[in-house]
Amino acid sequence: KQWYQRRVAITAGGPNVGYEAIGLVDSSLPTVGIWAHKDLTSNLAEIKTDPGNEKYEQGIVFYMKESKVVGVLTWNIFGKIPIARTVIASDEEQHDFAKLAKQFDIHAEHN
């Protein structure tokens, strides 16, 4: 058998929401979500790993297996599949998810 190294990406969306996903995006896996929160009164941005009841319009979800990222879903962040492929292919243990999420520029305006 010959295995392909290329991972298929999925993109979907509607008028106010869209996502891209790549890798093993499986609801049975543990996840780490990083969500961009923008304070509209001060124009400051921060990264949160627990959105609680606040409204977040963009973020990223890492699907984990044995401390390694095996899948990535971006929510209202587009064009980041090449970065996600690199993260998955690195096969490295990940512990600093805020730093990892910065590669995806989650605070930029994405339309």
Side-chain angles (χ1 to χ4, degrees), residues 78-97:
F78 301 99
K80 304 300 182 181
I81 291 299
I83 297 168
R85 275 194 178 104
T86 301
V87 169
I88 294 168
S90 76
D91 200 36
E92 296 175 0
E93 288 192 6
Q94 301 291 339
H95 302 286
D96 187 349
F97 293 97

Side-chain angles (χ1 to χ4, degrees), residues 9-10 34-35 43 56 67 96 100 111:
I10 298 170
I34 306 291
W35 300 93
N43 206 26
Y56 293 83
S67 299
D96 187 349
L100 188 60
N111 294 321

Side-chain angles (χ1 to χ4, degrees), residues 38-74:
K38 187 173 183 181
D39 182 344
L40 299 176
T41 60
S42 68
N43 206 26
L44 294 175
E46 63 178 302
I47 293 176
K48 289 191 175 183
T49 56
D50 180 11
N53 292 329
E54 296 182 53
K55 184 178 179 181
Y56 293 83
E57 295 184 4
Q58 53 194 52
I60 186 165
V61 179
F62 298 104
Y63 289 78
M64 307 300 296
K65 195 172 197 178
E66 299 173 5
S67 299
K68 297 177 182 179
V69 175
V70 294
V72 176
L73 180 136
T74 60

